[in-house]
Amino acid sequence: MSPEYYEDVSPSASTLAPRAWYAASDAKRLLLNGTWDFRLSPTAGGFGTQFTEDGYDSSGWDKIEVPGHWVLQGHGAPAYTNVRYPFPVDPPRVPDENPTGDHRCLFDLPADWPDGGETLLRFDGVESCARVWLNGHELGTFQGSRLPHEFGVTGVLRPGGNVLAVRVHQWSAGSYLEDQDMWWLPGVFRDVALHHRPEGAVDDYTVHSSYDHTSGEGTLRVDCRPRGRVTVPELGIDAATGEEVVLPVEPWTAETPRLYDAQLTTAGETVHFRIGFRTVRIEDGQLKVNGKRVLFRGVNRHEFHPERGRALDEATMRLDVQLMKRHNINAVRTSHCPPHPAFLDLCDEYGLWVVDECDLETHGFSETGWEGNPVDDERWTAALLDRAERMVERDKNHPSVVVWSLGNECGSGAGLGAMSRWIRERDPSRPVHYENDPECPDSDLYSRMYATHDEVELIGQRKEPPLEDAAADARRRALPFVLCEYAHAMGNGPGGLSDYQRLFETYERCQGGFVWEWIDHGLLRRTDDGRAYFAYGGDFGEEVHDGNFVCDGLLFPDRTPSPGLTEFAKVIEPVRIEVTRGEPDEAAGGTSGTAGDVAVRVRNLHDFAGLGHLDFEWSCQVRGEQAGSGPLAVPPLGPGESATVPLRPLRPLPAEAVSAAGEPSGSGEILWTVRAVLARNTSWAEQGHTVAWGQSAVFPPAGSAPPEARTGTEPARHAGETITLGPAVFDAAGVLTRLGRLALVGPRLDVWRAPTDNDEGAPWQPEARNGPTWRQYGLHRMRHRTDCVETGPEGLVVRTRVAPVATSLGLRTTYRWSATAGKVRLAVAVEPEGAWDFPLPRLGLRLGVPASLGDVTWYGGGPGEGYPDTRAASRTGLWHSTVDGMQTPYVRPQENGARPDVRWAELRDSSGRSGASGEPDPSLPHGPGLRVEAETDRFWLTARRWTSEELDAAEHTTDLVAGETVWVNLDHAQHGIGSQSCGPGVLPRHRLTAAPAEFTFVFSIPDA
């Protein structure tokens, strides 16, 4: 065999034709997974092929786990690139520096392995090119990393002492087709198995199971080689293969994943599988399933584990699906390759729409102006078709797969057209998707990545800018629209999700999208002293890499949900609950419309399901304390239906919250929360799991209670080098240093935040990126100048100018301090100077308190973080946490942890206040602390054990070291988050424009 086989653009001629994958059969199967012998060579030539022989002694080799990647098991190192190939672009050639792993596995057949029939050797995934020998006999080679390949081994296999030898090359011609945005991880990373094929066994089978929504009938036909019989006991079906059966059935959808157990029996084998009846069509410019428009609330999912890379076990795959269902996700795009086939079984079972995408991306050719792009080079067409065929034939029987996708970011070319034509002819029951060609000649959907909100609205109205070709424009304008990627979930964010969802729900053409992406691809590493962190591009010495762009998921690498996932779950709730003030209802006995009356509007946003699987419950809080709760009777609502339900659970409300007239007094804010929860256990969550919720401060209406009337203030007095004002002590520059016995640092005006990945933006974006702009103008090095310190009977006035180094920009800041009744009031006025033609990161105060104040209680938004455009999931309540618990551990440290809409907050000495869980226990005694109240406006609260500058300087979480101070930000305003790490920036209404501002805080020492 020519030594250049790994540079051959043609698909392997030695592997068998692809066929359907199934997990349950009465035919024998032997998994060869386990510990194999392994040897790594720096070049494709390796150390010869003697290792393939029977008597070769590999006892001195290293050991490796299969499935697995050798670079994650101590041999070489992983590498991450987004677009650029990590080797010279000279298709199909690859460099001599081509790490090559020789694998050797010894095995015996089980004693009950049948004598007759045939045996196949199957590889479900090898990156990127493999050459295979069994018992010294060369079986062949293959490329196509995330696709199955089989060899016939009947004449080579023996009962005992079998030697399976596999040589795997990291680089091959196939690498040019696999430039996905992920780690390069060579190895045998999916199952290796022997499959016995008895005489008359199932060679391949195809399930056709459509559903007619007008009649309620399903049509079943199973084609099989060789012929056999199909039985579906629950439906009373016993039919020959090829025979069509029509009968009433319950349809399969992602919301109602009804499956029927079936078996296919031929002369030599019985295969068990599950059938879902559903029909996918594009009608009236919409993608419909079973006659109804569907809305994708989706995510893109690369297969990933922080220790095992793409070698996922079923438990991890099941956890992914359960987490998706718990967070209201209903769709997955398998970006950008077919997943492990067991994952699709789980999507069938739990209910997820799947866009199954081919193992194809040539994005790196964009760096060369697409010159030499394989999808537009006929020499590669056979390889492209081979990949399409292996995907479709493997996954064709999954009802969850509703769309085939050709691949990702390959530009355009005739090869894509050949793939699309083959798929449409082989399987006309599903539409075909492809995004990268703006004319959509090979796609049945108009698909975009990271379109702005304005663009999406135009597309929803079918008013997008026209294509030059009128016919192509008319065709595209008639297609349904999806965002195959949007809301780049990198670091803190994504922002703007609610605004996208509003568009999806407004325009029928806009059928949702897929957030990029499901999970951060951080690889677990440890410091020399054993502290764990997650590594990203550049942490392994790569010459070319794209940094932490590989960490852009809704899950942290350990599969902990990020605030972004919590936000997404809230935004895409399938039930919309709005709590408002009730109106008099004479038919219900009449009410006065007072504080006890609440109206709850419930809308069912499911495409197919009613609300019978949900219970509804209300609760009422006064000043954050629970005042009542109970069930709420919601009438049956079909998909798209809504109802307004009166709620009068409290008669009377707590006396301290209601005036004599029955209206709320100024001393108490009354919050109503209504939840939709699971009525019973499901396979993905337990009874009581919250699916949707709504909340409103109905009484009084949204807004803050009126400020308390202030009595006379105390005078400010000089005392040597200090100034005293009530319980407060200031230095000569008017900076607060002590409140009672509590030492403080500040507060002073602060505008800096450690830029988020979305602040930093993507370098290819033409529009301004906030992070670089903020650094350019020096907002990370602000200086404070005191111009005037005035003391008098009304308190203390400090006039300052806060400005960045090396510019004429400034913020005239006046602090007005007053004290009364043991409290200190600070009114801040800010006046910008100069041409601030860019937004501020934040506007508020930063102060330092002793590190012992590690216990935080606040009344406001929570329990997690929120920012102006990421606050949909924030619920108002009385929350308790630790300072450490308020941090969000983004893989690359950045601004995090703000709690919005805070009315008041207390930081207390946490000594001795932890319960059994380690979290603060509000019922235990507490030490001294600091209380901060908003006098009128609400504020954003952030508390951390390092400064924003230290947070900004950190590259990994282990770089953050707690100091002697807890730094607290009390922000009047925050700039939004957006999605500019790859998508659009912050919407105008969430931008923090430099403008005159006034805000007031009240500080005190809380009662012990």
Side-chain angles (χ1 to χ4, degrees):
M1 173 171 292
S2 168
E4 290 81 26
Y5 62 90
Y6 47 84
E7 294 179 336
D8 191 347
V9 300
S10 302
S12 171
S14 51
T15 54
L16 301 175
R19 61 191 180 99
W21 183 88
Y22 50 88
S25 165
D26 62 356
K28 291 290 184 181
R29 177 173 181 250
L30 177 63
L31 270 178
L32 300 180
N33 299 348
T35 304
W36 291 21
D37 293 339
F38 177 79
R39 176 182 65 183
L40 182 63
S41 167
T43 65
F47 299 102
T49 59
Q50 294 84 356
F51 77 101
T52 67
E53 299 170 0
D54 281 2
Y56 185 85
D57 181 8
S58 59
S59 61
W61 287 20
D62 294 315
K63 303 294 182 182
I64 197 170
E65 291 300 313
V66 172
H69 305 279
W70 69 67
V71 292
L72 299 184
Q73 300 185 55
H75 307 280
Y80 166 64
T81 61
N82 170 29
V83 176
R84 296 171 293 177
Y85 290 105
F87 48 80
V89 181
D90 182 22
R93 306 299 302 278
V94 295
D96 293 339
E97 297 88 351
N98 187 358
T100 296
D102 289 338
H103 301 67
R104 204 165 188 268
C105 172
L106 304 180
F107 66 93
D108 299 327
L109 292 178
D112 60 351
W113 194 263
D115 291 332
E118 297 183 346
T119 297
L120 309 182
L121 173 63
R122 182 182 180 94
F123 294 86
D124 277 310
V126 180
E127 182 176 334
S128 73
C129 174
R131 185 178 177 185
V132 185
W133 296 261
L134 181 61
N135 295 329
H137 178 80
E138 184 167 354
L139 301 178
T141 67
F142 61 85
Q143 300 175 28
S145 297
R146 294 107 199 175
L147 294 161
H149 295 85
E150 291 182 324
F151 298 96
V153 296
T154 306
V156 181
L157 196 65
R158 56 198 181 205
N162 291 283
V163 180
L164 175 60
V166 185
R167 172 164 284 176
V168 180
H169 305 287
Q170 177 159 6
W171 310 126
S172 68
S175 301
Y176 285 99
L177 304 180
E178 297 171 6
D179 189 32
Q180 293 95 335
D181 175 13
M182 59 172 69
W183 292 99
W184 298 92
L185 298 174
V188 183
F189 67 92
R190 287 186 186 155
D191 295 336
V192 181
L194 291 173
H195 293 256
H196 183 249
R197 315 306 300 137
E199 292 289 341
V202 174
D203 181 30
D204 192 18
Y205 74 104
T206 304
V207 178
H208 306 274
S209 52
S210 60
Y211 178 74
D212 185 340
H213 66 279
T214 63
S215 67
E217 293 180 319
T219 300
L220 175 66
R221 188 183 83 244
V222 178
D223 297 330
C224 179
R225 299 190 310 266
R227 295 182 63 83
R229 295 199 70 79
V230 178
T231 58
V232 188
E234 189 175 355
L235 295 175
I237 294 176
D238 185 346
T241 56
E243 180 182 343
E244 194 167 272
V245 180
V246 181
L247 75 172
V249 298
E250 297 175 49
W252 186 97
T253 73
E255 296 169 3
T256 56
R258 182 65 162 94
L259 293 172
Y260 293 91
D261 291 328
Q263 66 180 35
L264 167 63
T265 302
T266 63
E269 184 180 15
T270 296
V271 172
H272 299 270
F273 63 102
R274 295 178 297 186
I275 296 171
F277 291 90
R278 58 105 187 93
T279 296
V280 185
R281 289 200 180 101
I282 292 180
E283 298 176 329
D284 306 320
Q286 298 173 41
L287 175 66
K288 297 181 179 181
V289 179
N290 300 337
K292 288 189 175 182
R293 170 187 180 264
V294 297
L295 182 61
F296 292 134
R297 302 172 173 91
V299 292
N300 284 276
R301 175 186 177 269
H302 279 327
E303 292 184 304
F304 181 76
H305 187 279
E307 296 174 87
R308 301 192 301 271
R310 285 189 278 279
L312 266 60
D313 59 6
E314 184 174 343
T316 300
M317 291 184 269
R318 187 176 295 273
L319 177 59
D320 276 350
V321 173
Q322 290 173 339
L323 284 169
M324 290 176 189
K325 296 292 288 188
R326 290 172 198 160
H327 290 87
N328 297 324
I329 290 164
N330 73 356
V332 179
R333 177 180 176 226
T334 70
S335 53
H336 305 288
C337 49
H340 192 292
F343 178 78
L344 299 179
D345 274 349
L346 294 169
C347 293
D348 295 342
E349 175 185 339
Y350 285 85
L352 289 169
W353 308 117
V354 175
V355 176
D356 199 359
E357 193 153 271
C358 196
D359 190 9
L360 176 62
E361 179 167 337
T362 63
H363 202 176
F365 284 91
S366 64
E367 302 287 303
T368 66
W370 297 105
E371 181 182 354
N373 186 8
V375 303
D376 202 26
D377 184 337
E378 63 181 8
R379 294 176 300 167
W380 297 78
T381 301
L384 302 179
L385 289 171
D386 180 70
R387 289 173 182 246
E389 184 178 357
R390 291 186 182 278
M391 173 184 71
V392 171
E393 299 296 355
R394 192 196 73 168
D395 299 341
K396 60 195 172 189
N397 295 328
H398 290 282
S400 58
V401 176
V402 292
V403 177
W404 299 118
S405 182
L406 302 181
N408 184 69
E409 292 176 321
C410 295
S412 58
L416 295 167
M419 295 172 70
S420 181
R421 288 190 297 274
W422 184 91
I423 292 175
R424 287 190 175 107
E425 183 176 348
R426 177 66 181 93
D427 179 25
S429 71
R430 295 175 174 98
V432 175
H433 165 270
Y434 181 67
E435 177 271 339
N436 221 207
D437 191 325
E439 293 192 357
C440 305
D442 306 311
S443 180
D444 299 313
L445 305 169
Y446 178 26
S447 179
R448 287 282 303 280
M449 293 182 181
Y450 307 107
T452 66
H453 299 83
D454 289 343
E455 289 179 283
V456 171
E457 184 151 33
L458 286 174
I459 292 169
Q461 298 168 347
R462 302 187 191 272
K463 295 179 180 179
E464 67 267 27
L467 297 169
E468 291 184 4
D469 185 292
D473 180 72
R475 178 184 177 278
R476 192 184 74 175
R477 205 172 293 274
L479 299 178
F481 176 73
V482 295
L483 281 168
C484 67
E485 293 180 22
Y486 81 113
H488 199 250
M490 185 177 178
N492 188 335
L497 287 170
S498 296
D499 301 275
Y500 276 117
Q501 196 67 20
R502 177 187 62 80
L503 295 170
F504 299 157
E505 294 174 8
T506 300
Y507 299 105
E508 287 189 338
R509 186 189 187 191
C510 298
Q511 297 197 235
F514 300 83
V515 168
W516 187 270
E517 66 153 302
W518 176 236
I519 186 170
D520 285 344
H521 293 201
L523 292 169
L524 181 64
R525 297 189 81 184
R526 294 188 180 275
T527 60
D528 292 341
D529 58 359
R531 293 175 296 140
Y533 68 97
F534 295 108
Y536 46 79
D539 286 337
F540 298 94
E542 303 102 307
E543 294 176 319
V544 176
H545 66 85
D546 288 286
N548 69 312
F549 201 73
V550 75
C551 295
D552 45 15
L554 295 170
L555 291 180
F556 294 121
D558 62 0
R559 284 180 162 74
T560 299
S562 75
L565 181 55
T566 304
E567 177 81 358
F568 189 45
K570 173 60 180 170
V571 167
I572 61 173
E573 288 172 336
V575 181
R576 190 67 46 78
I577 300 172
E578 298 170 283
V579 184
T580 60
R581 184 162 185 162
E583 297 298 331
D585 185 354
E586 296 180 3
T591 81
S592 64
T594 62
D597 300 317
V598 174
V600 182
R601 179 171 174 79
V602 178
R603 287 192 291 158
N604 181 3
L605 301 181
H606 288 95
D607 295 324
F608 300 92
L611 301 184
H613 62 296
L614 299 175
D615 286 335
F616 290 81
E617 57 188 32
W618 62 268
S619 63
C620 178
Q621 301 86 34
V622 177
R623 292 198 300 270
E625 300 290 350
Q626 188 81 345
S629 63
L632 178 68
V634 175
L637 296 176
E641 294 180 344
S642 63
T644 300
V645 182
L647 174 60
R648 307 182 189 92
L650 291 179
R651 279 293 188 266
L653 288 166
E656 71 271 16
V658 185
S659 67
E663 292 295 324
S665 70
S667 62
E669 178 182 35
I670 305 175
L671 281 168
W672 297 86
T673 305
V674 176
R675 290 180 173 85
V677 301
L678 288 179
R680 60 195 66 87
N681 291 340
T682 70
S683 59
W684 47 270
E686 294 182 350
Q687 179 182 1
H689 167 79
T690 299
V691 173
W693 59 272
Q695 185 186 65
S696 180
V698 179
F699 308 104
S704 300
E708 297 180 7
R710 296 196 306 276
T711 59
T713 63
E714 301 181 29
R717 296 185 175 91
H718 284 277
E721 296 297 319
T722 63
I723 301 170
T724 62
L725 175 63
V729 178
F730 301 81
D731 65 16
V735 177
L736 182 66
T737 61
R738 185 173 297 277
L739 187 64
R741 292 179 299 169
L742 184 67
L744 299 173
V745 181
R748 296 202 299 178
L749 188 75
D750 187 28
V751 299
W752 179 245
R753 74 183 187 194
T756 68
D757 291 313
N758 287 304
D759 291 335
E760 298 288 13
W764 59 82
Q765 293 171 324
E767 61 269 30
R769 295 178 286 131
N770 290 318
T773 299
W774 294 338
R775 294 184 199 280
Q776 175 188 347
Y777 284 93
L779 299 195
H780 58 311
R781 49 176 185 261
M782 301 291 281
R783 299 293 184 263
H784 299 253
R785 187 187 74 210
T786 303
D787 291 335
C788 179
V789 178
E790 303 170 358
T791 59
E794 297 298 319
L796 171 67
V797 178
V798 182
R799 304 182 192 279
T800 70
R801 187 175 191 270
V802 183
V805 171
T807 78
S808 60
L809 300 175
L811 297 168
R812 288 282 179 184
T813 306
T814 301
Y815 306 92
R816 297 182 181 275
W817 292 92
S818 58
T820 183
K823 296 183 177 181
V824 178
R825 177 178 180 268
L826 170 60
V828 182
V830 180
E831 185 75 29
E833 294 181 338
W836 291 85
D837 56 358
F838 55 90
L840 294 173
R842 66 175 356 123
L843 181 66
L845 302 176
R846 188 200 300 190
L847 73 155
V849 301
S852 59
L853 301 192
D855 182 348
V856 188
T857 301
W858 73 97
Y859 179 50
E865 72 182 28
Y867 290 82
D869 53 351
T870 66
R871 63 194 293 177
S874 180
R875 294 197 315 275
T876 300
L878 184 61
W879 305 106
H880 306 275
S881 182
T882 62
V883 169
D884 297 331
M886 294 181 73
Q887 312 312 304
T888 303
Y890 293 113
V891 173
R892 186 193 71 80
Q894 56 198 270
E895 166 63 32
N896 73 89
R899 269 54 177 184
D901 298 321
V902 176
R903 284 72 158 170
W904 60 262
E906 290 183 358
L907 287 92
R908 301 270 196 159
D909 190 327
S910 55
S911 302
R913 299 198 65 226
S914 295
S917 67
E919 292 298 309
D921 185 343
S923 67
L924 296 175
H926 46 67
L930 175 70
R931 181 180 174 93
V932 184
E933 301 171 73
E935 185 175 83
T936 52
D937 296 329
R938 300 166 185 177
F939 63 96
W940 308 78
L941 171 69
T942 309
R944 55 175 67 103
R945 296 188 181 277
W946 33 79
T947 65
S948 295
E949 290 76 12
E950 290 168 332
L951 184 64
D952 184 25
E955 295 184 349
H956 299 93
T957 53
T958 47
D959 297 335
L960 295 168
V961 179
E964 297 300 317
T965 304
V966 169
W967 296 99
V968 181
N969 277 93
L970 309 171
D971 289 318
H972 170 66
Q974 276 266 1
H975 184 62
I977 296 297
S979 187
Q980 203 175 359
S981 54
C982 192
V986 176
L987 287 168
R989 71 176 180 279
H990 299 307
R991 290 169 60 88
L992 177 52
T993 302
E998 296 182 359
F999 47 93
T1000 304
F1001 294 101
V1002 177
F1003 300 89
S1004 61
I1005 302 297
D1007 295 334

